[in-house]
Amino acid sequence: MTSRGVLTVGEAMAVVRSEHPLRLGGPTHLTVAGAEANVAIGLARLRHPVRWFSRLGQDEPGALVARTLRAEGVDLTTVQYDDAAPTGLMLTDRLPGRNVRVHYYRSDSAASRMSPDDVTPELFDDASLLHLTGITPALGPGPAGLTQRLAEVAANHRVTVVLDVNHRARLWNRHEARTALRSLLPYIDVIVASEDELSLVTEGDDETAMVERLLDGATHELAVKRARRGASLFTPDSRYDHPAPPVDVLDTTGAGDAFCAGYLSATLDGLGPQERLARAVTLSACAVTAVGDWENLPTRNELDLLGLEAGETVR
């Protein structure tokens, strides 16, 4: 396994977006999303080989997901299709005050039927990095077992394992999350978490102590997202910080996934810790300047343009 490809695993859904409370009706926009799929698109746009594994329904929403990811250059050769369960669905609307609200319809979806038996050697072909999130094990016992098995097999094959904690309170509670996520830690090389998610993967309420405990185990890099204050990267020997660029925030949905895509991209490019953090924060800032999870993520050709002054014309 000498190539620099990425395997990411998780559910993608059809998404219906409204800029108003759904109960009022009105125009909506149909698209796709899912944390792992968002990361896959971000990596593909930056010209990294990336394979997404999941299970989709044999239905029109599943066809929409597959078509969208395939068009973005994501490898879907190992995706499974289920004719007895639907593709997941997510609805989003905006509350007064412009806050986004998410409504999930993913119980008993095709992806919720994934299991440890789905882990095959072919999944890891050409993969040097495995990207997992805390969302997949929240989908049920089968996906939880799948996540555990993937981490174990990846570690045995010397594939770098990255865990984005990505807690979804509407899918499971913090106690359930702690139990499942901490069982993964012996196999995790890199952890990405927001400040309030650290206590899900270790004990304590003091960040310094929690960071030390996590870096005392298998994990050798810990990236902590701090929203408008940027992010920090911890290694056993050093700490690095990077501020968030000043941008007009339209929609924070997908910001964490963009952060992951940027961090993994810079890792695959062989960049140093400060540069990895900088690309992660920059992609996250790109994501929040437009509505949608992945639509505003840059291509490789656009990376050098991200430092331009706001409003500057590219000729």
Side-chain angles (χ1 to χ4, degrees), residues 197-265:
E197 290 173 335
L198 287 175
S199 61
L200 292 174
V201 286
T202 191
E203 294 296 329
D205 52 15
D206 174 72
E207 181 176 285
T208 300
M210 289 190 287
V211 168
E212 289 178 354
R213 271 194 291 273
L214 288 170
L215 294 178
D216 230 14
T219 300
H220 56 78
E221 291 181 16
L222 170 62
V224 179
K225 299 174 289 183
R226 305 189 189 280
R228 292 180 180 270
R229 294 182 289 112
S232 302
L233 173 62
F234 298 91
T235 68
D237 301 319
S238 303
R239 169 178 174 158
Y240 307 85
D241 296 288
H242 199 285
V247 295
D248 294 327
V249 177
L250 292 182
D251 184 0
T252 60
T253 309
D257 304 330
F259 182 97
C260 269
Y263 192 84
L264 299 184
S265 169

Side-chain angles (χ1 to χ4, degrees), residues 155-194:
N156 289 337
H157 285 81
R158 300 185 183 277
V159 172
T160 298
V161 184
V162 179
L163 173 67
D164 179 4
V165 175
N166 218 333
H167 181 58
R168 294 289 185 268
R170 290 197 172 191
L171 296 180
W172 59 355
N173 60 45
R174 292 183 71 88
H175 173 73
E176 293 169 322
R178 285 190 190 98
T179 302
L181 297 179
R182 293 183 188 185
S183 71
L184 297 173
L185 292 182
Y187 312 102
I188 305 301
D189 300 291
V190 181
I191 295 175
V192 178
S194 58

Side-chain angles (χ1 to χ4, degrees), residues 17-302:
R17 299 190 185 283
S18 172
E19 288 301 299
H20 309 281
L22 284 166
R23 66 178 178 273
L24 301 180
T28 59
H29 173 64
L30 178 62
T31 183
V32 304
E36 302 81 8
N38 297 338
V39 170
I41 290 173
L43 289 169
R45 287 190 175 183
L46 296 175
R47 299 181 190 164
H48 297 290
V50 54
R51 174 181 296 117
W52 175 71
F53 175 75
S54 188
R55 184 174 294 184
L56 296 170
Q58 283 279 21
D59 48 28
E60 288 297 293
L64 172 65
V65 170
R67 179 179 182 274
T68 301
L69 294 182
R70 195 175 291 117
E72 290 288 339
V74 178
D75 179 356
L76 304 185
T77 53
T78 55
V79 170
Q80 300 176 350
Y81 292 87
D82 193 323
D83 59 8
T87 301
L89 174 67
M90 182 171 76
L91 309 179
T92 72
D93 61 358
R94 287 190 182 269
L95 297 168
R98 306 302 293 161
N99 291 323
V100 175
R101 176 172 54 181
V102 176
H103 312 264
Y104 288 127
Y105 297 88
R106 56 203 307 182
S107 178
D108 299 320
S109 68
S112 74
R113 297 169 62 152
M114 294 188 294
S115 76
D117 293 338
D118 295 329
V119 180
T120 64
E122 293 77 26
L123 284 179
F124 291 93
D125 285 350
D126 304 323
S128 62
L129 191 152
L130 170 66
H131 167 255
L132 299 172
T133 77
I135 298 174
T136 304
L139 300 179
L146 170 81
T147 305
Q148 186 78 28
R149 181 64 178 149
L150 282 165
E152 295 170 358
V153 173
N156 289 337
H157 285 81
R158 300 185 183 277
V159 172
T160 298
V161 184
V162 179
L163 173 67
D164 179 4
V165 175
N166 218 333
H167 181 58
R168 294 289 185 268
R170 290 197 172 191
L171 296 180
W172 59 355
N173 60 45
R174 292 183 71 88
H175 173 73
E176 293 169 322
R178 285 190 190 98
T179 302
L181 297 179
R182 293 183 188 185
S183 71
L184 297 173
L185 292 182
Y187 312 102
I188 305 301
D189 300 291
V190 181
I191 295 175
V192 178
S194 58
E195 293 169 296
D196 64 329
E197 290 173 335
L198 287 175
S199 61
L200 292 174
V201 286
T202 191
E203 294 296 329
D205 52 15
D206 174 72
E207 181 176 285
T208 300
M210 289 190 287
V211 168
E212 289 178 354
R213 271 194 291 273
L214 288 170
L215 294 178
D216 230 14
T219 300
H220 56 78
E221 291 181 16
L222 170 62
V224 179
K225 299 174 289 183
R226 305 189 189 280
R228 292 180 180 270
R229 294 182 289 112
S232 302
L233 173 62
F234 298 91
T235 68
D237 301 319
S238 303
R239 169 178 174 158
Y240 307 85
D241 296 288
H242 199 285
V247 295
D248 294 327
V249 177
L250 292 182
D251 184 0
T252 60
T253 309
D257 304 330
F259 182 97
C260 269
Y263 192 84
L264 299 184
S265 169
T267 299
L268 294 169
D269 282 347
L271 301 184
Q274 194 69 58
E275 291 78 14
R276 296 199 297 273
L277 196 59
R279 185 175 293 181
V281 170
T282 298
L283 258 69
S284 185
C286 287
V288 302
T289 59
V291 175
D293 290 57
W294 51 267
E295 286 82 349
N296 207 43
L297 294 178
T299 64
R300 173 72 67 167
N301 291 338
E302 292 167 335

